[in-house]
Amino acid sequence: MKTVLYPGSFDPFTNGHLDLVVRAGLLFDQVIVAVAVNSEKTPMFMLEERKELIEKSCADLPHVRVVAFRGLLVDAIVEYQAQAVLRGLRAFSDFEYELQMALMNRSLRPQCETIFMMPTLNNSFVASRLVKEVAALHGDFRHYVPAVVADAIEAKLAAKEGRK
Ligand code: PNS
């Protein structure tokens, strides 16, 4: 069985992420979405919340499994017996960071292969950070994320702003 590990912060999971998960399902038998502990001090969603939102967003995709991971990505690859790491590339600006990570992972574990996929053009500018910013400033963000994620963002913001 061919498995690819798709790691990220997913704070929150967007339609761009969903796009990649669907595309990867055409190439791999199993896509494991690996939710990392967020390096940001104050993520919008805690690890378990992020995991649950991805599970709900991918509920009708049988090739998808969602896990949380805390250590090194190269160790998660071994643990989940994945053949490759999947990362999304939206623009040139992503490339330097992604290249550095891919080469570091290969240096740590020479068998660690990273593959990159591009989302559809409509999703190519969608980033979790921008979605959070638009939502916090009361812009229309709902069409950039799965409905379940949009509801969760609204609930977070309402709680933060003292609304019901
Ligand atoms: O969505 P993000 O924040 O760009 O994802 C980054 C992530 C989680 C893939 C990266 O930080 C990572 O792999 N973290 C796990 C720790 C690790 O292995 N660090 C060395 C990577 S070069």
Side-chain angles (χ1 to χ4, degrees):
M1 178 151 102
K2 291 269 181 228
T3 297
V4 71
L5 196 82
Y6 180 26
S9 305
F10 305 111
D11 184 43
F13 192 72
T14 67
N15 285 343
H17 297 132
L18 184 59
D19 186 326
L20 242 66
V21 161
V22 171
R23 279 169 203 283
L26 302 174
L27 301 175
F28 291 88
D29 302 307
Q30 182 176 220
V31 178
I32 300 183
V33 182
V35 190
V37 176
N38 202 306
S39 50
E40 281 180 48
K41 274 187 198 146
T42 49
M44 179 176 257
F45 295 101
M46 303 312 291
L47 188 67
E48 281 306 317
E49 291 177 308
R50 282 180 268 146
K51 182 172 175 276
E52 196 182 321
L53 287 174
I54 301 168
E55 279 165 349
K56 286 182 178 164
S57 303
C58 300
D60 57 351
L61 300 173
H63 66 278
V64 178
R65 177 180 169 198
V66 188
V67 300
F69 82 105
R70 289 180 184 277
L72 282 175
L73 180 59
V74 288
D75 292 335
I77 284 283
V78 176
E79 182 177 352
Y80 294 106
Q81 298 178 15
Q83 278 76 40
V85 171
L86 170 68
R87 292 286 289 174
L89 267 189
R90 291 164 302 193
F92 279 127
S93 50
D94 285 341
F95 183 73
E96 201 173 333
Y97 170 61
E98 294 298 337
L99 178 72
Q100 211 174 11
M101 270 206 310
L103 294 181
M104 172 58 88
N105 285 328
R106 183 182 281 167
S107 168
L108 291 170
R109 186 174 161 76
Q111 308 91 320
C112 183
E113 210 56 72
T114 303
I115 65 164
F116 297 100
M117 294 183 81
M118 276 98 43
T120 180
L121 208 54
N122 287 347
N123 287 325
S124 62
F125 60 92
V126 177
S128 300
R129 180 180 58 82
L130 293 181
V131 169
K132 284 185 282 190
E133 188 173 319
V134 172
L137 297 172
H138 306 288
D140 182 7
F141 68 94
R142 288 195 69 101
H143 46 289
Y144 306 124
V145 291
V148 65
V149 174
D151 292 344
I153 293 175
E154 272 170 7
K156 279 278 176 203
L157 292 176
K160 197 174 162 195
E161 293 168 8
R163 292 185 276 124
K164 270 203 161 184

